[in-house]
């Protein structure tokens, strides 16, 4: 308080003596662009959902392929008694253009899982899912990767892989996609969910655990050994969200 009073006294003394203090950029002529957050193109992350979750999904120069990888990290949320995993979803959220019957049917099936998503357009046969990762998942916590494949709004195939422990070097992971129909069909939509932690609080408060993280890169599919690339599966393209502030 004494410092504030001293400053105000100095300012008043300068004004009454005809010495108006110079305030840099008082005319708001100079502005700077401030980055709020970045998000990989084609993906929706926790940071897209709310700026409160800033830091849970970030761009990393520690990459397996290309220039960047995606870092997902579980962090406490400042000002809230909450812990948020880093989550990335390759897919879209339903909106009003979808009929109520489809929304109700989808909600009934997936609300218990904590997601309300639809897949991106897709028309390729796939039998395996691949990605490369580094990770450090805290004790009793678990990261996971969940892939969903659809045909005419019905889920026809999926794979869910839980990741525990740690890997300090890039580790290639290959998952077999399980179909609920005979043969290997051509899905018309798909979704991918990656999380650095379990989504639900445990009774003893041990997960999601702050500090759990997974670094993901080189995401793609294959069919009978042939690679099928996913657009921006190497996290090379990012959108930057910014604001302008007066310097």
């Amino acid at each position: 308080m004494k410092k504030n009073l001293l400053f105000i006294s100095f300012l008043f003394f300068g004004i009454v003596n005809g010495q108006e203090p110079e305030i840099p950029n008082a005319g708001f002529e100079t502005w700077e662009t401030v980055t709020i957050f970045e998000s990989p193109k084609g993906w929706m992350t926790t940071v897209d959902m709310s700026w409160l979750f800033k830091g849970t999904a970030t761009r990393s120069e520690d990459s397996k392929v290309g220039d960047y990888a995606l870092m997902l990290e579980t962090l406490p949320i400042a000002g809230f008694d909450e812990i948020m995993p880093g989550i990335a979803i390759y897919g879209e959220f339903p909106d009003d253009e979808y009929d109520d019957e489809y929304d109700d049917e989808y909600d009934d099936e997936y609300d218990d899982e904590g997601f309300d998503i639809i897949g991106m357009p897709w028309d390729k046969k796939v039998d395996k899912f691949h990605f490369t990762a580094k990770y450090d998942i805290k004790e009793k916590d678990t990261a996971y990767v969940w892939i969903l494949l659809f045909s005419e709004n019905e889920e026809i195939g999926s794979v869910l892989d839980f990741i525990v422990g740690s890997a300090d070097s890039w580790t290639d992971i290959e998952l077999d996609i399980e179909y609920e129909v005979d043969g290997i069909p051509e899905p018309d939509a798909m979704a991918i969910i990656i999380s650095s932690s379990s989504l639900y609080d445990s009774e003893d408060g041990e997960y999601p655990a702050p500090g759990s993280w997974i670094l993901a890169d080189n995401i793609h599919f294959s069919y009978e050994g042939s690679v099928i690339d996913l657009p921006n599966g190497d996290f090379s393209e990012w959108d930057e969200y910014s604001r302008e502030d007066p310097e």
Side-chain angles (χ1 to χ4, degrees), residues 15 27 31 35 64 66 68 75 83 122 129 153 156 175 214:
I15 292 174
W31 292 70
T35 300
K64 173 67 174 181
Y68 306 111
L75 298 173
I83 298 170
W122 190 258
F129 177 80
N153 300 336
I156 60 171
L175 305 175
I214 180 168

Side-chain angles (χ1 to χ4, degrees), residues 3-23:
K3 290 183 179 179
N4 291 337
L5 289 174
L6 181 62
F7 173 76
I8 293 172
S9 299
F10 173 78
L11 184 64
F12 177 76
F13 178 80
I15 292 174
V16 298
N17 283 276
Q19 300 174 358
E20 295 184 10
E22 291 187 8
I23 301 176

Side-chain angles (χ1 to χ4, degrees), residues 28-99:
F28 300 105
E29 298 299 325
T30 307
W31 292 70
E32 62 180 345
T33 300
V34 178
T35 300
I36 303 173
F37 69 91
E38 298 169 317
S39 185
K41 289 182 181 292
W43 294 80
M44 175 174 286
T45 71
T46 35
V47 186
D48 291 293
M49 302 171 199
S50 173
W51 295 354
L52 293 173
F53 307 147
K54 188 174 181 179
T56 57
T58 55
R59 175 164 53 174
S60 173
E61 293 184 356
D62 181 4
S63 62
K64 173 67 174 181
V65 297
D67 294 327
Y68 306 111
L70 173 63
M71 169 67 83
L72 299 175
E73 187 173 3
T74 304
L75 298 173
I77 305 305
F80 294 84
D81 187 22
E82 299 289 343
I83 298 170
M84 174 56 66
I87 302 172
I89 301 174
Y90 196 89
E92 298 176 345
F93 284 80
D95 55 35
D96 293 337
E97 75 181 46
Y98 296 92
D99 61 80

